[in-house]
Amino acid sequence: IVAKTNMDEFAMGSSNEHSIFGPVSNPIDARKVSGGSSGGSAVAVASGVIDIALGSDTGGSVRQPAAFCGVYGLKPTYGRISRYGLTAFASSLDQIGIFSRNTNDIVNMFQAIGGHDTHDSNTSKLPLNCDYAKINTNNLTIGYSNHLFNKLNPDMRKPYDSLIDFLKLNNIKVKNIDIDLLDLAIPTYYIIATAEASSNLSRFDGIRYGQKQHGHNVHDLFTKTRSKFFGEEVKRRIMLGTYVLSSGYYDAYYKKALKIRKMITNNLVSVFSDCDLLILPTTPTPAFNKQEKINDSLEMYLSDIFTVPISLAGLPAMSIPIEQVNGLPIGAQLCANYFHENNIFSFSKFIEDKFT
Ligand code: GLN
């Protein structure tokens, strides 16, 4: 490991603008954001400084910056890679992800760090599924959703249409599958993720973890410390999370969000009785301008609309670079059923060799 990379504070953000070190610039156009929260990792790989980087992906923080910077970014199945040593943001969603410039490097790294770890009881004991070379892509059925592609503007939609046309031309079985419920994913995610964050971050109080501001008593010390050292976005999330967990609101928000999470999960998992792999956009647009969304949290949160549902379900997904839109990279998100990363890898390699 050669370095630590820049990122949004506590991995909360979609543009790497919530960093004490300042924003990370997009390597293709410095006026644009790198994506986030793992923007530094994505750019370090895209610019060739390093070959492979790690990041954490709670709702898209590896896949989204990978798409914005034109590299590969994997978020494996929840519980596939150990989180020992990772600072927790939203524990039921957090996964370690991998960035690289090709499929092979992702697979090799996955093989090196994936699997059971006695230090993380959430890790699965199932064997790693990465022997992708044995899979014949002609035996895979690839699902996509016109309903979702219709949500994109025409410039953005075109590369996905060409990808599907290319697959048809190559005799790959493709299937249009109606997927809905994604509109519920962002509000559901921002209730569950902030609730878990407010609990996880309570340890940063100046006594157990983190820097300290002195106070007249313990309460004063906590208040001064947390007010001074947490950034604006982190404070916003702690307040939101504390609110949705408070008595009186717990049933109305948190409990309801858990139920909707279950619905989204069931809906997405059922897709895999019709196909082996699902192609989704990674992001609704290419990289946006710095400062463009920083004062509009809702707009910023919506940039994760296609990655967040997969995280809520705990499914594996990888963003792979396809064509460019207005001179900027975009990604296609390949999603498979639990622990079927090998399907993702084999298809990613096929697209890498034949399409791009
Ligand atoms: N952009 C999302 C958020 O701010 C996802 C972050 C992440 O995956 N760490 O919560």
Side-chain angles (χ1 to χ4, degrees), residues 11-14 36-37 56-62 89 189-190 237 304:
M12 297 173 188
S14 308
S37 60
S56 71
D57 188 314
T58 302
S61 280
V62 166
F89 160 12
Y189 171 85
Y190 276 94
R237 301 219 187 180
D304 296 324

Side-chain angles (χ1 to χ4, degrees), residues 12 32 61 65 104 113 126 149 158 163 174 191 206 227 247 249 266 281 287-288 313 337 347:
M12 297 173 188
K32 310 275 177 190
S61 280
N104 247 332
I113 64 174
L126 287 174
F149 288 167
K158 237 171 80 199
L163 178 61
V174 292
I191 289 171
S227 306
S247 73
Y249 295 108
N266 291 344
F288 44 87
N337 209 343
F347 195 70

Side-chain angles (χ1 to χ4, degrees), residues 34-232:
S34 59
S37 60
S38 312
S41 293
V43 173
V45 169
S47 56
V49 174
I50 47 171
D51 296 314
I52 302 173
L54 301 180
S56 71
D57 188 314
T58 302
S61 280
V62 166
R63 289 161 286 162
Q64 189 252 30
F68 281 5
C69 297
V71 297
Y72 294 74
L74 168 73
K75 181 206 84 81
T77 307
Y78 181 74
R80 187 72 292 188
I81 294 179
S82 172
R83 298 175 299 182
Y84 183 59
L86 173 73
T87 299
F89 160 12
S91 312
S92 76
L93 297 151
D94 296 340
Q95 254 308 278
I96 289 292
I98 306 166
F99 295 91
S100 80
R101 290 187 299 276
N102 59 62
T103 311
N104 247 332
D105 284 350
I106 295 256
V107 180
N108 286 336
M109 190 64 176
F110 176 76
Q111 209 156 7
I113 64 174
H116 184 246
D117 177 10
T118 48
H119 292 302
D120 179 354
S121 55
N122 256 321
T123 49
S124 167
K125 288 189 171 147
L126 287 174
L128 283 184
N129 232 341
C130 43
D131 203 358
Y132 69 94
K134 284 196 188 134
I135 297 174
N136 180 352
T137 37
N138 285 78
N139 294 334
L140 298 178
T141 304
I142 312 297
Y144 66 98
S145 167
N146 268 327
H147 177 75
L148 292 186
F149 288 167
N150 285 340
K151 294 187 190 277
L152 303 170
N153 78 31
D155 279 354
M156 191 66 193
R157 184 188 168 131
K158 237 171 80 199
Y160 301 103
D161 284 336
S162 353
L163 178 61
I164 303 297
D165 288 344
F166 167 83
L167 297 180
K168 288 180 184 160
L169 263 174
N170 281 272
N171 297 318
I172 305 268
K173 284 181 266 134
V174 292
K175 197 166 178 178
N176 179 26
I177 302 174
D178 242 347
I179 299 177
D180 222 332
L181 288 176
L182 292 203
D183 294 344
L184 296 174
I186 293 285
T188 305
Y189 171 85
Y190 276 94
I191 289 171
I192 293 174
T194 56
E196 293 184 19
S198 76
S199 163
N200 275 327
L201 268 54
S202 64
R203 67 186 64 146
F204 294 92
D205 56 14
I207 291 182
R208 285 172 294 182
Y209 281 88
Q211 299 193 61
K212 173 157 55 192
Q213 280 289 102
H214 289 283
H216 306 303
N217 51 46
V218 172
H219 188 265
D220 192 40
L221 181 153
F222 283 1
T223 309
K224 285 192 175 134
T225 299
R226 290 166 66 85
S227 306
K228 181 168 163 75
F229 294 117
F230 281 137
E232 217 175 277

